[in-house]
């Protein structure tokens, strides 16, 4: 996992995402999820590219049911973009670096 990716849990989500100022992209994933594994290097690249502008976090949906339920995550991978702790948009399923970058750029320019 990239050094720019933050691992978060039910216990740390409030500090890592809810109370963090600015943009945080959260990846809800699971060990058994093939597309989630394919997305990992893409997220690592995005985290490095946007370091200092956007925090990128991962949360295992199976091990952190309270947070997954809180955000009604029903499919994996699910990427949710938060700004100042408030959900802005989500992307469902495997997606490209280009699509993730477009989402982040749109919110950075806003």
């Amino acid at each position: 996992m990239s050094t720019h990716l933050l691992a978060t849990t039910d216990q740390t989500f409030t500090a890592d995402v809810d109370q963090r100022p600015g943009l945080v992209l959260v990846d809800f994933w699971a060990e058994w999820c093939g597309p989630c594994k394919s997305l990992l290097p893409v997220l690592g690249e995005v985290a490095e590219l946007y370091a200092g502008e956007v925090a990128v976090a991962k949360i295992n949906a199976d091990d952190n049911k309270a947070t997954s339920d809180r955000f009604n995550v029903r499919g994996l991978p699910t990427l949710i973009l938060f700004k100042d702790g408030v959900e802005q948009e989500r992307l469902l399923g495997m997606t490209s670096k280009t699509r993730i970058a477009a989402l982040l750029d749109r919110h950075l320019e806003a």
Side-chain angles (χ1 to χ4, degrees), residues 13-65:
F13 195 87
T14 297
D16 292 338
V17 180
D18 292 334
Q19 296 174 347
R20 176 171 269 183
L23 295 174
V24 182
L25 181 66
V26 180
D27 172 33
F28 288 81
W29 67 282
E31 285 290 334
W32 52 263
C33 172
C36 298
K37 291 178 182 178
S38 297
L39 191 58
L40 181 58
V42 173
L43 289 174
E45 291 176 24
V46 168
E48 289 179 32
L49 185 64
Y50 288 89
E53 295 180 284
V54 179
V56 180
K58 296 184 63 60
I59 185 165
N60 185 311
D62 286 342
D63 295 342
N64 298 280
K65 294 271 189 212

Side-chain angles (χ1 to χ4, degrees), residues 50-91:
Y50 288 89
E53 295 180 284
V54 179
V56 180
K58 296 184 63 60
I59 185 165
N60 185 311
D62 286 342
D63 295 342
N64 298 280
K65 294 271 189 212
T67 304
S68 298
D69 289 347
R70 176 180 167 201
F71 294 102
N72 200 29
V73 173
R74 297 293 172 246
L76 299 176
T78 294
L79 299 175
I80 302 179
L81 181 64
F82 295 87
K83 182 173 185 178
D84 300 327
V86 178
E87 180 177 341
Q88 301 297 304
E89 284 189 58
R90 46 175 83 193
L91 298 173

